[in-house]
mmCIF file of all heavy atoms in Angstrom:
data_model
loop_
_atom_site.group_PDB
_atom_site.id
_atom_site.type_symbol
_atom_site.label_atom_id
_atom_site.label_comp_id
_atom_site.label_asym_id
_atom_site.label_seq_id
_atom_site.Cartn_x
_atom_site.Cartn_y
_atom_site.Cartn_z
ATOM 1 N N ARG A 21 -7.731 0.206 -3.082
ATOM 2 C CA ARG A 21 -8.642 -0.891 -3.440
ATOM 3 C C ARG A 21 -9.958 -0.360 -3.992
ATOM 4 O O ARG A 21 -10.531 -0.952 -4.914
ATOM 5 C CB ARG A 21 -8.837 -1.811 -2.245
ATOM 6 C CG ARG A 21 -7.565 -2.612 -1.987
ATOM 7 C CD ARG A 21 -7.656 -3.528 -0.812
ATOM 8 N NE ARG A 21 -6.455 -4.366 -0.762
ATOM 9 C CZ ARG A 21 -6.072 -5.032 0.309
ATOM 10 N NH1 ARG A 21 -6.779 -4.986 1.433
ATOM 11 N NH2 ARG A 21 -4.975 -5.764 0.270
ATOM 12 N N ILE A 22 -10.424 0.756 -3.465
ATOM 13 C CA ILE A 22 -11.622 1.391 -4.021
ATOM 14 C C ILE A 22 -11.341 1.858 -5.450
ATOM 15 O O ILE A 22 -12.151 1.650 -6.355
ATOM 16 C CB ILE A 22 -12.078 2.565 -3.134
ATOM 17 C CG1 ILE A 22 -12.627 2.043 -1.808
ATOM 18 C CG2 ILE A 22 -13.133 3.420 -3.863
ATOM 19 C CD1 ILE A 22 -12.857 3.122 -0.762
ATOM 20 N N ALA A 23 -10.181 2.470 -5.665
ATOM 21 C CA ALA A 23 -9.817 2.944 -6.999
ATOM 22 C C ALA A 23 -9.724 1.778 -7.986
ATOM 23 O O ALA A 23 -10.173 1.893 -9.132
ATOM 24 C CB ALA A 23 -8.497 3.708 -6.946
ATOM 25 N N LEU A 24 -9.176 0.654 -7.543
ATOM 26 C CA LEU A 24 -9.082 -0.512 -8.414
ATOM 27 C C LEU A 24 -10.470 -1.045 -8.770
ATOM 28 O O LEU A 24 -10.726 -1.406 -9.926
ATOM 29 C CB LEU A 24 -8.252 -1.615 -7.753
ATOM 30 C CG LEU A 24 -6.758 -1.377 -7.715
ATOM 31 C CD1 LEU A 24 -6.071 -2.420 -6.839
ATOM 32 C CD2 LEU A 24 -6.173 -1.387 -9.117
ATOM 33 N N LYS A 25 -11.336 -1.081 -7.793
ATOM 34 C CA LYS A 25 -12.713 -1.542 -8.036
ATOM 35 C C LYS A 25 -13.402 -0.644 -9.060
ATOM 36 O O LYS A 25 -14.037 -1.125 -10.002
ATOM 37 C CB LYS A 25 -13.495 -1.548 -6.720
ATOM 38 C CG LYS A 25 -14.919 -2.002 -6.856
ATOM 39 C CD LYS A 25 -15.628 -1.966 -5.515
ATOM 40 C CE LYS A 25 -17.106 -2.241 -5.694
ATOM 41 N NZ LYS A 25 -17.843 -2.073 -4.450
ATOM 42 N N GLU A 26 -13.263 0.652 -8.888
ATOM 43 C CA GLU A 26 -13.886 1.593 -9.822
ATOM 44 C C GLU A 26 -13.240 1.506 -11.207
ATOM 45 O O GLU A 26 -13.925 1.617 -12.224
ATOM 46 C CB GLU A 26 -13.800 3.017 -9.277
ATOM 47 C CG GLU A 26 -14.612 3.242 -8.013
ATOM 48 C CD GLU A 26 -16.097 2.983 -8.211
ATOM 49 O OE1 GLU A 26 -16.651 3.384 -9.256
ATOM 50 O OE2 GLU A 26 -16.710 2.374 -7.313
ATOM 51 N N GLY A 27 -11.934 1.301 -11.233
ATOM 52 C CA GLY A 27 -11.238 1.142 -12.503
ATOM 53 C C GLY A 27 -11.723 -0.082 -13.259
ATOM 54 O O GLY A 27 -11.937 -0.032 -14.473
ATOM 55 N N ARG A 28 -11.905 -1.181 -12.535
ATOM 56 C CA ARG A 28 -12.423 -2.396 -13.180
ATOM 57 C C ARG A 28 -13.829 -2.160 -13.720
ATOM 58 O O ARG A 28 -14.160 -2.602 -14.827
ATOM 59 C CB ARG A 28 -12.433 -3.561 -12.193
ATOM 60 C CG ARG A 28 -11.083 -4.169 -11.990
ATOM 61 C CD ARG A 28 -11.159 -5.455 -11.151
ATOM 62 N NE ARG A 28 -9.944 -5.575 -10.382
ATOM 63 C CZ ARG A 28 -9.794 -5.219 -9.112
ATOM 64 N NH1 ARG A 28 -10.797 -4.734 -8.436
ATOM 65 N NH2 ARG A 28 -8.636 -5.358 -8.506
ATOM 66 N N ALA A 29 -14.651 -1.478 -12.947
ATOM 67 C CA ALA A 29 -16.020 -1.188 -13.382
ATOM 68 C C ALA A 29 -16.036 -0.350 -14.650
ATOM 69 O O ALA A 29 -16.917 -0.502 -15.495
ATOM 70 C CB ALA A 29 -16.787 -0.485 -12.264
ATOM 71 N N ALA A 30 -15.056 0.520 -14.783
ATOM 72 C CA ALA A 30 -14.961 1.384 -15.968
ATOM 73 C C ALA A 30 -14.132 0.741 -17.078
ATOM 74 O O ALA A 30 -13.923 1.355 -18.122
ATOM 75 C CB ALA A 30 -14.343 2.726 -15.581
ATOM 76 N N GLU A 31 -13.660 -0.487 -16.829
ATOM 77 C CA GLU A 31 -12.811 -1.208 -17.773
ATOM 78 C C GLU A 31 -11.556 -0.408 -18.136
ATOM 79 O O GLU A 31 -11.085 -0.424 -19.271
ATOM 80 C CB GLU A 31 -13.595 -1.605 -19.024
ATOM 81 C CG GLU A 31 -14.745 -2.541 -18.715
ATOM 82 C CD GLU A 31 -15.537 -2.974 -19.933
ATOM 83 O OE1 GLU A 31 -15.097 -2.710 -21.071
ATOM 84 O OE2 GLU A 31 -16.591 -3.596 -19.738
ATOM 85 N N ALA A 32 -11.025 0.288 -17.141
ATOM 86 C CA ALA A 32 -9.814 1.097 -17.321
ATOM 87 C C ALA A 32 -8.593 0.283 -16.906
ATOM 88 O O ALA A 32 -8.654 -0.527 -15.980
ATOM 89 C CB ALA A 32 -9.895 2.363 -16.480
ATOM 90 N N LYS A 33 -7.498 0.519 -17.579
ATOM 91 C CA LYS A 33 -6.235 -0.092 -17.189
ATOM 92 C C LYS A 33 -5.608 0.768 -16.104
ATOM 93 O O LYS A 33 -5.501 1.984 -16.251
ATOM 94 C CB LYS A 33 -5.311 -0.202 -18.394
ATOM 95 C CG LYS A 33 -5.833 -1.152 -19.433
ATOM 96 C CD LYS A 33 -4.887 -1.277 -20.590
ATOM 97 C CE LYS A 33 -5.471 -2.252 -21.604
ATOM 98 N NZ LYS A 33 -4.603 -2.407 -22.765
ATOM 99 N N THR A 34 -5.212 0.137 -15.015
ATOM 100 C CA THR A 34 -4.664 0.876 -13.876
ATOM 101 C C THR A 34 -3.386 0.205 -13.352
ATOM 102 O O THR A 34 -3.318 -0.181 -12.181
ATOM 103 C CB THR A 34 -5.717 0.975 -12.751
ATOM 104 O OG1 THR A 34 -6.114 -0.365 -12.388
ATOM 105 C CG2 THR A 34 -6.935 1.760 -13.166
ATOM 106 N N PRO A 35 -2.364 0.076 -14.176
ATOM 107 C CA PRO A 35 -1.165 -0.658 -13.739
ATOM 108 C C PRO A 35 -0.443 -0.024 -12.556
ATOM 109 O O PRO A 35 0.073 -0.741 -11.692
ATOM 110 C CB PRO A 35 -0.285 -0.688 -14.986
ATOM 111 C CG PRO A 35 -0.750 0.457 -15.821
ATOM 112 C CD PRO A 35 -2.226 0.580 -15.539
ATOM 113 N N LEU A 36 -0.390 1.286 -12.494
ATOM 114 C CA LEU A 36 0.308 1.918 -11.362
ATOM 115 C C LEU A 36 -0.489 1.791 -10.074
ATOM 116 O O LEU A 36 0.087 1.635 -8.988
ATOM 117 C CB LEU A 36 0.617 3.379 -11.672
ATOM 118 C CG LEU A 36 1.599 3.581 -12.829
ATOM 119 C CD1 LEU A 36 1.807 5.068 -13.101
ATOM 120 C CD2 LEU A 36 2.922 2.896 -12.559
ATOM 121 N N THR A 37 -1.795 1.828 -10.180
ATOM 122 C CA THR A 37 -2.631 1.627 -8.994
ATOM 123 C C THR A 37 -2.505 0.192 -8.510
ATOM 124 O O THR A 37 -2.441 -0.059 -7.302
ATOM 125 C CB THR A 37 -4.103 1.974 -9.300
ATOM 126 O OG1 THR A 37 -4.152 3.293 -9.840
ATOM 127 C CG2 THR A 37 -4.968 1.909 -8.055
ATOM 128 N N GLU A 38 -2.437 -0.760 -9.440
ATOM 129 C CA GLU A 38 -2.255 -2.163 -9.060
ATOM 130 C C GLU A 38 -0.913 -2.362 -8.351
ATOM 131 O O GLU A 38 -0.843 -3.047 -7.323
ATOM 132 C CB GLU A 38 -2.334 -3.056 -10.293
ATOM 133 C CG GLU A 38 -3.728 -3.108 -10.889
ATOM 134 C CD GLU A 38 -3.773 -3.810 -12.239
ATOM 135 O OE1 GLU A 38 -2.787 -4.491 -12.609
ATOM 136 O OE2 GLU A 38 -4.801 -3.663 -12.917
ATOM 137 N N LEU A 39 0.135 -1.747 -8.873
ATOM 138 C CA LEU A 39 1.447 -1.842 -8.233
ATOM 139 C C LEU A 39 1.411 -1.201 -6.849
ATOM 140 O O LEU A 39 1.905 -1.777 -5.873
ATOM 141 C CB LEU A 39 2.514 -1.167 -9.096
ATOM 142 C CG LEU A 39 3.903 -1.046 -8.473
ATOM 143 C CD1 LEU A 39 4.481 -2.422 -8.147
ATOM 144 C CD2 LEU A 39 4.829 -0.272 -9.388
ATOM 145 N N SER A 40 0.832 -0.033 -6.746
ATOM 146 C CA SER A 40 0.744 0.659 -5.453
ATOM 147 C C SER A 40 -0.030 -0.177 -4.440
ATOM 148 O O SER A 40 0.365 -0.256 -3.271
ATOM 149 C CB SER A 40 0.064 2.018 -5.614
ATOM 150 O OG SER A 40 0.840 2.847 -6.440
ATOM 151 N N GLU A 41 -1.093 -0.828 -4.887
ATOM 152 C CA GLU A 41 -1.884 -1.672 -3.977
ATOM 153 C C GLU A 41 -1.035 -2.806 -3.440
ATOM 154 O O GLU A 41 -1.072 -3.127 -2.252
ATOM 155 C CB GLU A 41 -3.123 -2.202 -4.705
ATOM 156 C CG GLU A 41 -4.128 -2.894 -3.789
ATOM 157 C CD GLU A 41 -3.860 -4.367 -3.563
ATOM 158 O OE1 GLU A 41 -3.122 -4.988 -4.364
ATOM 159 O OE2 GLU A 41 -4.358 -4.914 -2.566
#
Side-chain angles (χ1 to χ4, degrees):
R21 289 179 173 163
I22 290 169
L24 286 171
K25 180 181 172 186
E26 294 300 318
R28 282 188 212 98
E31 298 181 10
K33 294 182 180 179
T34 57
L36 295 178
T37 306
E38 291 171 14
L39 173 61
S40 297
E41 190 273 341

